Coordinates of all heavy atoms in Angstrom, one line a residue:
M22 N 255.0 -8.7 18.1 CA 256.5 -8.5 17.5 C 257.2 -9.9 18.1 O 257.1 -10.2 19.1 CB 257.0 -7.4 18.1 CG 258.4 -7.1 17.6 SD 259.2 -5.6 18.3 CE 258.3 -4.4 17.4
A23 N 257.8 -10.5 17.2 CA 258.6 -11.6 17.5 C 260.0 -11.3 17.8 O 260.6 -10.4 17.2 CB 258.4 -12.7 16.3
L24 N 260.6 -12.2 18.7 CA 262.0 -12.0 19.0 C 262.8 -12.6 17.8 O 262.6 -13.9 17.5 CB 262.3 -12.8 20.3 CG 263.8 -12.9 20.7 CD1 264.4 -11.5 21.0 CD2 263.9 -13.8 21.9
L25 N 263.7 -11.9 17.3 CA 264.5 -12.3 16.1 C 265.7 -12.9 16.6 O 266.3 -13.8 15.9 CB 264.7 -11.1 15.1 CG 263.5 -10.5 14.5 CD1 263.9 -9.4 13.6 CD2 262.7 -11.6 13.7
F26 N 266.4 -12.4 17.6 CA 267.7 -12.9 18.0 C 267.9 -12.6 19.4 O 267.6 -11.5 19.9 CB 268.7 -12.2 17.1 CG 270.1 -12.9 17.1 CD1 270.4 -14.0 16.4 CD2 271.1 -12.4 17.9 CE1 271.6 -14.5 16.2 CE2 272.3 -13.0 17.9 CZ 272.6 -14.1 17.1
C27 N 268.6 -13.4 20.2 CA 268.8 -13.2 21.5 C 270.4 -13.5 21.8 O 270.7 -14.6 21.4 CB 268.0 -14.0 22.4 SG 268.3 -13.6 24.3
V28 N 271.1 -12.6 22.5 CA 272.5 -12.9 22.7 C 272.6 -12.8 24.3 O 272.0 -11.9 24.9 CB 273.5 -12.0 22.1 CG1 273.5 -12.3 20.5 CG2 273.2 -10.5 22.4
Q29 N 273.5 -13.6 24.9 CA 273.7 -13.5 26.3 C 275.2 -13.7 26.6 O 275.8 -14.7 26.2 CB 272.9 -14.6 27.0 CG 271.9 -14.2 28.0 CD 271.2 -15.2 28.6 OE1 270.9 -16.2 28.1 NE2 270.9 -15.0 29.9
A30 N 275.8 -12.8 27.3 CA 277.2 -12.9 27.6 C 277.6 -12.2 28.8 O 278.6 -12.5 29.5 CB 278.2 -12.6 26.5
H31 N 276.9 -11.1 29.2 CA 277.1 -10.3 30.4 C 276.9 -11.1 31.6 O 276.1 -12.2 31.6 CB 276.3 -9.1 30.4 CG 276.8 -8.0 29.4 ND1 277.9 -7.2 29.6 CD2 276.3 -7.7 28.2 CE1 278.0 -6.4 28.6 NE2 277.0 -6.7 27.6
L32 N 277.3 -10.8 32.7 CA 277.1 -11.6 33.9 C 275.6 -11.5 34.3 O 274.9 -10.6 34.0 CB 277.9 -11.0 35.1 CG 279.4 -11.0 35.0 CD1 280.0 -10.3 36.2 CD2 280.0 -12.3 34.8
L33 N 275.1 -12.6 34.8 CA 273.7 -12.9 34.9 C 273.0 -11.9 36.0 O 271.9 -11.6 35.8 CB 273.4 -14.2 35.3 CG 273.7 -15.3 34.1 CD1 273.4 -16.7 34.7 CD2 272.9 -15.0 32.9
D34 N 273.8 -11.4 36.9 CA 273.2 -10.5 37.8 C 273.4 -9.1 37.6 O 273.1 -8.3 38.4 CB 273.9 -10.9 39.3 CG 275.4 -10.7 39.4 OD1 276.0 -10.6 38.3 OD2 275.9 -10.7 40.5
C35 N 273.8 -8.7 36.4 CA 274.1 -7.4 36.0 C 273.1 -7.1 34.9 O 272.9 -7.8 33.9 CB 275.4 -7.2 35.6 SG 276.6 -7.2 37.0
C36 N 272.6 -5.9 34.8 CA 271.8 -5.4 33.7 C 272.5 -4.9 32.6 O 273.6 -4.4 32.7 CB 270.9 -4.2 34.2 SG 269.8 -4.7 35.5
V37 N 272.1 -5.0 31.4 CA 272.5 -4.3 30.2 C 271.9 -2.9 30.2 O 270.7 -2.8 30.3 CB 272.2 -5.1 28.9 CG1 272.6 -4.3 27.6 CG2 272.9 -6.4 28.9
L38 N 272.7 -1.9 30.3 CA 272.2 -0.6 30.5 C 272.1 0.3 29.2 O 271.4 1.3 29.2 CB 273.1 0.1 31.5 CG 273.2 -0.5 32.9 CD1 274.2 0.1 33.7 CD2 271.7 -0.3 33.5
R39 N 272.8 -0.3 28.2 CA 272.8 0.5 26.8 C 273.0 -0.6 25.7 O 273.9 -1.4 25.9 CB 273.8 1.5 26.8 CG 274.0 2.3 25.6 CD 273.0 3.4 25.3 NE 273.5 4.3 24.2 CZ 272.7 4.4 23.1 NH1 271.4 4.1 23.1 NH2 273.1 5.3 22.2
C40 N 272.4 -0.4 24.7 CA 272.7 -1.2 23.4 C 272.4 -0.3 22.2 O 271.4 0.4 22.2 CB 271.6 -2.4 23.4 SG 271.9 -3.5 22.1
C41 N 273.4 -0.5 21.3 CA 273.3 0.5 20.2 C 274.0 -0.1 19.0 O 275.0 -0.7 19.1 CB 273.6 1.9 20.5 SG 275.2 2.6 20.1
R42 N 273.3 0.0 17.8 CA 273.7 -0.6 16.6 C 274.8 0.4 16.0 O 274.7 1.6 16.1 CB 272.6 -0.7 15.6 CG 272.9 -1.3 14.3 CD 271.7 -1.4 13.5 NE 271.3 -0.1 13.0 CZ 271.8 0.6 12.0 NH1 272.7 0.1 11.2 NH2 271.2 1.7 11.6
A43 N 275.8 -0.2 15.3 CA 276.8 0.6 14.6 C 276.3 1.2 13.4 O 275.6 0.6 12.6 CB 278.0 -0.4 14.2
P44 N 276.5 2.6 13.3 CA 275.8 3.3 12.1 C 276.1 2.6 10.8 O 275.3 2.7 9.9 CB 276.3 4.6 12.3 CG 276.9 4.7 13.6 CD 277.3 3.4 14.1
A45 N 277.3 2.2 10.5 CA 277.7 1.8 9.2 C 277.6 0.3 8.9 O 277.7 -0.2 7.8 CB 279.2 2.2 8.9
H46 N 277.3 -0.4 10.0 CA 277.2 -1.9 9.9 C 275.9 -2.5 10.6 O 275.9 -2.6 11.9 CB 278.5 -2.5 10.5 CG 279.8 -2.0 10.0 ND1 280.1 -2.4 8.7 CD2 280.6 -1.1 10.4 CE1 281.2 -1.8 8.5 NE2 281.6 -1.0 9.5
G47 N 274.9 -2.8 10.0 CA 273.7 -3.3 10.5 C 273.7 -4.4 11.3 O 272.9 -4.7 12.2
D48 N 274.8 -5.4 11.2 CA 274.9 -6.6 12.0 C 275.7 -6.5 13.2 O 275.8 -7.4 13.9 CB 275.4 -7.7 11.1 CG 274.5 -8.1 10.0 OD1 273.3 -8.0 10.2 OD2 275.0 -8.6 8.9
V49 N 276.3 -5.2 13.4 CA 277.2 -5.0 14.5 C 276.5 -4.1 15.6 O 275.9 -3.1 15.2 CB 278.6 -4.4 14.1 CG1 279.5 -4.2 15.2 CG2 279.1 -5.4 13.0
F50 N 276.6 -4.4 16.9 CA 276.2 -3.5 17.8 C 277.0 -3.7 19.1 O 277.9 -4.6 19.2 CB 274.7 -3.8 18.1 CG 274.4 -5.1 18.8 CD1 274.1 -5.1 20.2 CD2 274.2 -6.2 18.1 CE1 273.9 -6.4 20.8 CE2 273.9 -7.4 18.7 CZ 273.7 -7.6 20.1
L51 N 276.8 -2.8 20.1 CA 277.5 -2.9 21.3 C 276.5 -3.0 22.4 O 275.3 -2.4 22.4 CB 278.6 -1.7 21.5 CG 278.1 -0.3 21.4 CD1 277.5 0.1 22.8 CD2 279.3 0.6 21.2
S52 N 277.0 -3.5 23.6 CA 276.1 -3.5 24.8 C 276.9 -3.0 25.9 O 278.2 -3.3 26.0 CB 275.5 -4.8 25.0 OG 276.5 -5.8 25.1
A53 N 276.5 -2.1 26.8 CA 277.2 -1.7 28.0 C 276.4 -2.3 29.2 O 275.1 -2.3 29.2 CB 277.2 -0.2 28.1
S54 N 277.1 -2.7 30.2 CA 276.5 -3.3 31.4 C 277.0 -2.9 32.7 O 278.1 -2.3 32.8 CB 276.8 -4.9 31.1 OG 276.4 -5.6 32.2
G55 N 276.3 -3.3 33.7 CA 276.6 -3.2 35.1 C 277.8 -4.1 35.5 O 278.4 -3.9 36.5
D56 N 278.2 -4.9 34.6 CA 279.4 -5.8 35.0 C 280.7 -5.1 34.5 O 281.8 -5.8 34.6 CB 279.3 -7.1 34.3 CG 279.4 -7.2 32.7 OD1 279.6 -6.1 32.2 OD2 279.1 -8.2 32.2
T57 N 280.7 -3.9 34.3 CA 281.9 -3.0 33.9 C 282.4 -3.1 32.6 O 283.4 -2.6 32.2 CB 283.1 -3.1 35.0 OG1 283.7 -4.4 34.7 CG2 282.6 -3.0 36.4
T58 N 281.8 -3.9 31.7 CA 282.2 -4.2 30.4 C 281.4 -3.7 29.3 O 280.2 -3.3 29.5 CB 282.4 -5.7 30.1 OG1 281.1 -6.3 30.0 CG2 283.3 -6.5 31.1
V59 N 281.9 -3.4 28.2 CA 281.3 -3.1 26.9 C 281.6 -4.3 25.9 O 282.7 -4.7 25.9 CB 281.7 -1.8 26.3 CG1 281.2 -1.6 24.9 CG2 281.3 -0.6 27.1
R60 N 280.5 -4.9 25.4 CA 280.8 -6.0 24.5 C 280.5 -5.6 23.0 O 279.3 -4.9 22.9 CB 280.1 -7.2 24.9 CG 280.7 -7.7 26.3 CD 279.8 -8.7 26.9 NE 280.2 -8.9 28.4 CZ 280.9 -10.0 28.8 NH1 281.2 -10.9 28.0 NH2 281.3 -10.0 30.0
L61 N 281.2 -6.0 22.1 CA 280.8 -5.8 20.7 C 280.4 -7.1 20.2 O 281.0 -8.1 20.4 CB 282.0 -5.2 19.9 CG 282.3 -3.8 19.9 CD1 282.4 -3.2 21.3 CD2 283.4 -3.3 19.0
W62 N 279.3 -6.9 19.4 CA 278.6 -8.1 18.9 C 278.5 -8.0 17.3 O 278.2 -7.0 16.8 CB 277.2 -8.2 19.4 CG 277.1 -8.2 20.9 CD1 277.1 -7.3 21.7 CD2 277.0 -9.4 21.7 NE1 277.0 -7.7 23.0 CE2 276.9 -9.0 23.1 CE3 276.9 -10.8 21.3 CZ2 276.8 -9.9 24.1 CZ3 276.8 -11.7 22.5 CH2 276.7 -11.2 23.8
D63 N 278.6 -9.2 16.7 CA 278.3 -9.3 15.2 C 277.3 -10.5 15.2 O 277.4 -11.5 15.7 CB 279.5 -9.8 14.5 CG 279.3 -9.8 13.0 OD1 278.2 -10.3 12.6 OD2 280.2 -9.5 12.2
L64 N 275.9 -10.1 14.7 CA 274.9 -11.0 14.7 C 275.2 -12.3 14.0 O 274.5 -13.3 14.2 CB 273.6 -10.4 14.3 CG 273.1 -9.3 15.0 CD1 271.9 -8.6 14.4 CD2 272.7 -9.7 16.5
R65 N 276.2 -12.4 13.2 CA 276.7 -13.6 12.5 C 277.5 -14.4 13.4 O 277.8 -15.6 13.0 CB 277.4 -13.1 11.2 CG 276.5 -12.3 10.2 CD 277.2 -11.6 9.2 NE 278.1 -10.6 9.9 CZ 278.6 -9.6 9.2 NH1 278.5 -9.6 8.0 NH2 279.3 -8.7 9.9
Q66 N 277.8 -14.0 14.6 CA 278.7 -14.8 15.5 C 277.9 -15.2 16.8 O 277.1 -14.2 17.2 CB 280.0 -14.0 15.9 CG 280.8 -13.5 14.7 CD 281.4 -14.7 13.9 OE1 281.9 -15.8 14.6 NE2 281.4 -14.6 12.6
P67 N 278.1 -16.3 17.4 CA 277.3 -16.6 18.5 C 277.8 -16.0 19.8 O 277.0 -15.9 20.9 CB 277.6 -18.2 18.6 CG 278.9 -18.5 18.0 CD 279.0 -17.4 16.8
Q68 N 279.1 -15.4 19.9 CA 279.7 -14.8 21.1 C 280.1 -13.5 20.8 O 280.2 -13.1 19.5 CB 280.7 -15.6 21.7 CG 280.5 -17.0 22.2 CD 279.5 -16.9 23.3 OE1 279.7 -16.1 24.2 NE2 278.5 -17.8 23.3
P69 N 280.3 -12.5 21.8 CA 280.9 -11.2 21.5 C 282.1 -11.3 20.6 O 283.0 -12.2 21.0 CB 281.0 -10.7 22.8 CG 280.5 -11.5 23.8 CD 280.2 -12.8 23.1
T70 N 282.4 -10.4 19.7 CA 283.6 -10.3 19.0 C 284.7 -9.6 19.9 O 285.9 -9.8 19.6 CB 283.5 -9.6 17.7 OG1 282.9 -8.3 17.8 CG2 282.5 -10.5 16.7
L71 N 284.3 -8.8 20.9 CA 285.3 -8.1 21.8 C 284.6 -7.9 23.0 O 283.4 -7.5 23.0 CB 285.6 -6.7 21.1 CG 286.5 -5.8 21.9 CD1 287.9 -6.4 22.1 CD2 286.6 -4.4 21.4
V72 N 285.3 -8.2 24.1 CA 284.9 -7.9 25.5 C 285.9 -6.9 26.1 O 287.1 -7.1 26.2 CB 284.8 -9.1 26.4 CG1 284.4 -8.7 27.7 CG2 283.9 -10.1 25.8
L73 N 285.4 -5.6 26.3 CA 286.1 -4.5 26.7 C 286.0 -4.2 28.2 O 284.9 -3.8 28.6 CB 285.9 -3.3 25.9 CG 286.6 -2.1 25.9 CD1 288.1 -2.2 25.5 CD2 285.9 -1.0 25.1
P74 N 287.0 -4.6 29.0 CA 286.8 -4.2 30.5 C 287.1 -2.7 30.6 O 288.1 -2.1 30.8 CB 287.9 -5.0 31.1 CG 288.9 -5.3 30.1 CD 288.1 -5.2 28.9
A75 N 285.9 -1.9 30.3 CA 285.9 -0.5 30.1 C 286.2 0.4 31.3 O 286.8 1.4 31.2 CB 284.7 -0.1 29.3
H76 N 285.6 0.0 32.5 CA 285.6 0.9 33.5 C 285.7 0.1 34.9 O 285.5 -1.1 34.9 CB 284.3 1.7 33.7 CG 284.2 2.8 32.6 ND1 284.7 4.1 32.6 CD2 283.7 2.7 31.3 CE1 284.5 4.7 31.5 NE2 283.9 3.8 30.7
A77 N 285.9 0.8 35.9 CA 286.0 0.3 37.2 C 284.7 -0.1 37.8 O 284.5 -1.0 38.7 CB 286.8 1.1 38.3
F78 N 283.6 0.7 37.4 CA 282.2 0.5 37.8 C 281.3 0.3 36.7 O 281.7 0.3 35.6 CB 282.0 1.8 38.7 CG 282.7 1.8 40.0 CD1 283.8 2.6 40.0 CD2 282.4 1.1 41.2 CE1 284.6 2.7 41.3 CE2 283.1 1.1 42.2 CZ 284.1 1.9 42.4
E79 N 280.0 0.3 36.9 CA 279.1 0.1 35.9 C 279.3 1.1 34.7 O 279.5 2.2 34.9 CB 277.6 0.4 36.5 CG 277.2 -0.6 37.5 CD 277.4 -0.3 38.9 OE1 278.3 0.7 39.2 OE2 276.8 -0.8 39.9
V80 N 279.1 0.5 33.5 CA 279.1 1.3 32.4 C 277.7 1.7 32.1 O 276.8 0.9 31.7 CB 279.8 0.6 31.1 CG1 279.7 1.5 29.9 CG2 281.0 0.1 31.5
L81 N 277.4 3.0 32.2 CA 276.0 3.5 31.9 C 275.6 3.8 30.5 O 274.5 3.9 30.2 CB 275.8 4.7 32.9 CG 276.0 4.6 34.3 CD1 275.9 5.8 35.1 CD2 275.0 3.5 35.0
S82 N 276.7 4.2 29.8 CA 276.4 4.7 28.4 C 277.5 4.2 27.4 O 278.7 4.1 28.0 CB 276.2 6.1 28.4 OG 276.1 6.7 27.2
A83 N 277.1 4.1 26.3 CA 278.2 3.8 25.1 C 277.6 4.0 23.9 O 276.3 3.9 23.7 CB 278.7 2.3 25.3
D84 N 278.4 4.6 22.9 CA 277.9 4.9 21.6 C 279.0 5.0 20.6 O 280.2 5.1 21.0 CB 277.2 6.3 21.6 CG 276.0 6.4 20.6 OD1 276.0 5.6 19.6 OD2 275.3 7.4 20.6
W85 N 278.7 4.9 19.3 CA 279.6 4.8 18.3 C 280.0 6.3 17.8 O 279.0 7.1 17.8 CB 279.1 4.0 17.0 CG 278.8 2.5 17.4 CD1 277.5 2.2 17.8 CD2 279.7 1.5 17.2 NE1 277.7 0.8 17.9 CE2 279.0 0.3 17.6 CE3 280.9 1.4 16.8 CZ2 279.5 -0.9 17.6 CZ3 281.5 0.1 16.8 CH2 280.8 -1.0 17.2
C86 N 281.1 6.6 17.4 CA 281.4 7.8 16.7 C 280.7 7.7 15.3 O 280.9 6.8 14.5 CB 282.9 8.0 16.5 SG 283.4 9.4 15.6
K87 N 280.1 8.8 14.9 CA 279.3 8.7 13.6 C 280.3 9.0 12.5 O 279.9 8.8 11.3 CB 278.1 9.6 13.5 CG 278.4 11.1 13.7 CD 277.0 11.8 13.6 CE 277.3 13.3 13.6 NZ 276.1 14.1 13.5
Y88 N 281.5 9.4 12.8 CA 282.5 9.7 11.7 C 283.5 8.7 11.5 O 284.2 8.7 10.6 CB 283.2 11.1 12.0 CG 282.2 12.2 12.2 CD1 282.0 12.8 13.4 CD2 281.4 12.7 11.0 CE1 281.0 13.8 13.5 CE2 280.5 13.7 11.3 CZ 280.4 14.2 12.5 OH 279.5 15.3 12.6
N89 N 283.7 7.8 12.5 CA 284.7 6.7 12.5 C 284.1 5.5 13.1 O 284.0 5.5 14.4 CB 286.0 7.1 13.1 CG 287.0 6.0 13.0 OD1 286.8 4.8 12.8 ND2 288.3 6.6 13.1
D90 N 283.7 4.5 12.3 CA 283.0 3.3 12.9 C 283.9 2.4 13.8 O 283.5 1.3 14.3 CB 282.2 2.5 11.9 CG 283.1 2.0 10.8 OD1 284.4 2.2 10.8 OD2 282.6 1.3 9.9
C91 N 285.2 2.7 13.9 CA 286.0 2.1 14.8 C 286.2 2.7 16.3 O 287.0 2.2 17.2 CB 287.4 1.9 14.2 SG 287.3 0.8 12.8
I92 N 285.6 3.8 16.4 CA 285.7 4.6 17.6 C 284.4 4.5 18.4 O 283.3 4.8 17.9 CB 286.1 6.1 17.4 CG1 287.4 6.1 16.5 CG2 286.2 6.8 18.7 CD1 288.6 5.7 17.2
I93 N 284.6 4.2 19.7 CA 283.3 4.3 20.6 C 283.7 5.1 21.8 O 284.9 5.3 22.2 CB 282.8 2.9 21.1 CG1 283.9 2.2 21.9 CG2 282.4 2.0 19.9 CD1 283.4 0.8 22.5
A94 N 282.7 5.6 22.5 CA 282.9 6.3 23.7 C 282.0 5.6 24.8 O 280.9 5.1 24.5 CB 282.4 7.8 23.6
T95 N 282.5 5.5 26.1 CA 281.8 5.0 27.2 C 281.8 5.9 28.4 O 282.7 6.7 28.5 CB 282.4 3.7 27.5 OG1 283.8 3.9 28.0 CG2 282.5 2.6 26.4
G96 N 280.7 5.8 29.1 CA 280.6 6.5 30.3 C 280.2 5.7 31.5 O 279.3 4.7 31.3
S97 N 280.7 6.0 32.7 CA 280.5 5.1 33.8 C 280.1 5.9 35.0 O 280.4 7.1 35.1 CB 281.8 4.3 34.0 OG 281.8 3.6 35.2
I98 N 279.7 5.1 35.9 CA 279.4 5.7 37.2 C 280.7 6.1 38.0 O 280.7 6.7 39.0 CB 278.6 4.6 38.1 CG1 277.9 5.3 39.3 CG2 279.4 3.5 38.5 CD1 276.9 4.5 39.9
D99 N 281.9 5.6 37.4 CA 283.2 6.1 38.0 C 283.5 7.5 37.7 O 284.6 7.9 37.9 CB 284.3 5.0 37.5 CG 284.6 5.1 36.0 OD1 284.1 5.9 35.3 OD2 285.4 4.2 35.6
K100 N 282.6 8.2 37.0 CA 282.8 9.6 36.8 C 283.7 9.9 35.6 O 284.4 11.0 35.5 CB 283.2 10.4 38.0 CG 282.2 10.3 39.2 CD 282.6 11.1 40.3 CE 281.7 10.7 41.5 NZ 282.1 11.2 42.8
T101 N 283.9 8.9 34.7 CA 284.8 9.1 33.6 C 284.1 8.9 32.2 O 283.1 8.1 32.2 CB 286.1 8.3 33.6 OG1 285.7 6.8 33.6 CG2 286.9 8.4 34.8
I102 N 284.5 9.5 31.2 CA 284.2 9.2 29.9 C 285.5 8.7 29.2 O 286.5 9.3 29.3 CB 283.6 10.4 29.1 CG1 282.3 10.7 29.7 CG2 283.4 10.0 27.6 CD1 281.8 12.1 29.3
K103 N 285.4 7.6 28.4 CA 286.6 7.0 27.8 C 286.3 6.9 26.3 O 285.2 6.5 26.0 CB 287.1 5.7 28.3 CG 287.5 5.8 29.9 CD 288.0 4.4 30.4 CE 288.5 4.6 31.8 NZ 288.9 3.3 32.3
V104 N 287.3 7.1 25.5 CA 287.1 7.0 24.1 C 288.1 5.9 23.7 O 289.3 5.8 24.0 CB 287.5 8.3 23.3 CG1 287.4 8.1 21.8 CG2 286.7 9.5 23.8
W105 N 287.4 4.9 23.0 CA 288.3 3.7 22.6 C 288.3 3.5 21.0 O 287.3 3.9 20.3 CB 287.4 2.5 23.0 CG 287.4 2.4 24.6 CD1 286.2 3.0 25.2 CD2 288.1 1.8 25.5 NE1 286.3 2.9 26.5 CE2 287.5 2.1 26.7 CE3 289.2 1.2 25.5 CZ2 288.0 1.7 28.0 CZ3 289.8 0.7 26.7 CH2 289.2 1.0 27.9
D106 N 289.4 2.9 20.5 CA 289.5 2.4 19.2 C 289.4 0.9 19.4 O 290.2 0.3 19.9 CB 290.9 2.7 18.6 CG 291.0 2.4 17.1 OD1 290.4 1.4 16.8 OD2 291.8 3.0 16.4
V107 N 288.3 0.3 18.8 CA 288.0 -1.1 19.0 C 289.1 -2.0 18.2 O 289.2 -3.2 18.5 CB 286.6 -1.4 18.5 CG1 285.6 -0.7 19.4 CG2 286.5 -1.2 17.0
R108 N 289.9 -1.4 17.4 CA 291.0 -2.1 16.7 C 292.2 -2.4 17.6 O 292.9 -3.2 17.4 CB 291.4 -1.5 15.4 CG 290.3 -1.4 14.4 CD 290.7 -0.3 13.3 NE 290.9 1.0 13.8 CZ 291.1 2.1 13.2 NH1 291.1 1.9 11.9 NH2 291.2 3.2 13.7
Q109 N 292.3 -1.4 18.6 CA 293.4 -1.5 19.6 C 292.7 -1.3 21.0 O 293.0 -0.1 21.5 CB 294.5 -0.4 19.2 CG 295.1 -0.6 17.9 CD 296.1 0.4 17.5 OE1 295.9 1.6 17.9 NE2 297.1 0.0 16.8
P110 N 292.1 -2.2 21.6 CA 291.3 -1.8 22.8 C 292.0 -2.1 24.0 O 291.5 -2.1 25.1 CB 290.2 -3.0 22.6 CG 290.9 -4.1 22.0 CD 291.8 -3.5 21.0
Q111 N 293.3 -2.2 23.9 CA 294.2 -2.5 25.3 C 294.0 -1.3 26.2 O 294.1 -1.5 27.4 CB 295.7 -2.7 24.9 CG 296.0 -3.9 24.1 CD 295.7 -3.7 22.5 OE1 295.3 -2.6 22.1 NE2 295.7 -4.7 21.7
Q112 N 293.9 -0.1 25.7 CA 293.8 1.0 26.6 C 293.0 2.2 25.8 O 293.0 2.2 24.6 CB 295.1 1.6 27.0 CG 295.9 2.1 25.9 CD 297.3 2.6 26.3 OE1 297.8 2.1 27.4 NE2 298.0 3.4 25.8
P113 N 292.2 3.0 26.5 CA 291.6 4.0 25.9 C 292.3 5.0 25.2 O 293.5 5.3 25.6 CB 290.6 4.7 27.0 CG 291.4 4.3 28.3 CD 292.1 3.1 28.0
L114 N 291.9 5.7 24.1 CA 292.5 6.7 23.4 C 292.6 7.9 24.4 O 293.7 8.7 24.4 CB 291.9 7.1 22.1 CG 291.8 6.1 21.1 CD1 290.9 6.5 19.9 CD2 293.2 5.7 20.5
T115 N 291.7 8.2 25.1 CA 291.6 9.3 26.0 C 290.7 9.0 27.1 O 289.7 8.3 27.0 CB 291.3 10.7 25.3 OG1 291.7 11.7 26.3 CG2 289.9 10.7 24.9
T116 N 290.9 9.6 28.3 CA 290.0 9.5 29.5 C 289.6 10.9 29.9 O 290.6 11.6 30.2 CB 290.5 8.7 30.7 OG1 290.8 7.3 30.1 CG2 289.7 8.6 31.8
L117 N 288.4 11.2 30.0 CA 287.9 12.5 30.4 C 287.4 12.3 32.0 O 286.5 11.5 32.2 CB 286.8 13.0 29.6 CG 287.2 13.2 28.1 CD1 285.9 13.5 27.3 CD2 288.3 14.1 27.9
F118 N 287.9 13.2 32.8 CA 287.5 13.1 34.2 C 286.6 14.3 34.5 O 286.8 15.4 34.1 CB 288.8 13.2 35.1 CG 289.7 12.1 34.9 CD1 290.8 12.1 34.0 CD2 289.5 10.9 35.7 CE1 291.7 11.1 33.9 CE2 290.4 9.9 35.5 CZ 291.4 10.0 34.5
G119 N 285.4 13.9 35.0 CA 284.4 14.9 35.0 C 283.9 15.4 36.5 O 284.7 15.6 37.3
H120 N 282.7 15.0 36.8 CA 282.1 15.4 37.9 C 282.7 14.9 39.2 O 283.3 13.9 39.2 CB 280.6 14.9 37.9 CG 279.9 15.2 36.6 ND1 279.3 16.4 36.5 CD2 279.7 14.6 35.4 CE1 278.7 16.6 35.3 NE2 279.0 15.6 34.6
S121 N 282.7 15.7 40.2 CA 283.3 15.4 41.4 C 282.3 15.1 42.5 O 281.1 15.3 42.3 CB 284.2 16.5 41.8 OG 283.6 17.8 42.0

């Protein structure tokens, strides 16, 4: 299997913990990292199209809403789940506080 494309933008000392393609757009994906960010990528662009400082600690999980391709959810070691609209990423739509 050959490498088709490689992108790099997360901090070098942090792992990418999740990567997932947008259901409705084959060229768009997100990556979640130990650097506390989620980055949105368009394979037609050399850099991320959005860098979302999503949590205070590592982002362990992220995924797209299958009903609305502008909505993502992120989960972190900070014990929260946040729901974001990528068109207005200044603050989450909601934050769910979970495990203690």
Side-chain angles (χ1 to χ4, degrees):
M22 184 180 290
L24 176 66
L25 297 177
F26 197 80
C27 180
V28 295
Q29 241 181 325
H31 289 282
L32 297 178
L33 292 178
D34 61 343
C35 293
C36 295
V37 172
L38 300 168
R39 172 84 165 130
C40 181
C41 103
R42 186 182 63 84
H46 306 284
D48 291 332
V49 178
F50 69 98
L51 60 77
S52 59
S54 173
D56 68 5
T57 74
T58 68
V59 171
R60 295 172 193 252
L61 274 58
W62 303 84
D63 184 325
L64 292 178
R65 299 163 290 195
Q66 304 294 322
Q68 296 295 318
T70 57
L71 175 67
V72 178
L73 186 63
H76 291 270
F78 295 97
E79 294 95 340
V80 183
L81 300 176
S82 182
D84 207 347
W85 300 89
C86 174
K87 67 180 181 179
Y88 303 110
N89 184 334
D90 58 2
C91 294
I92 304 296
I93 64 171
T95 61
S97 171
I98 199 167
D99 66 10
K100 303 176 188 173
T101 64
I102 296 171
K103 296 183 181 183
V104 179
W105 304 87
D106 184 330
V107 297
R108 298 167 297 187
Q109 298 176 329
Q111 299 81 6
Q112 62 185 26
L114 296 172
T115 191
T116 300
L117 306 171
F118 299 91
H120 306 275
S121 54

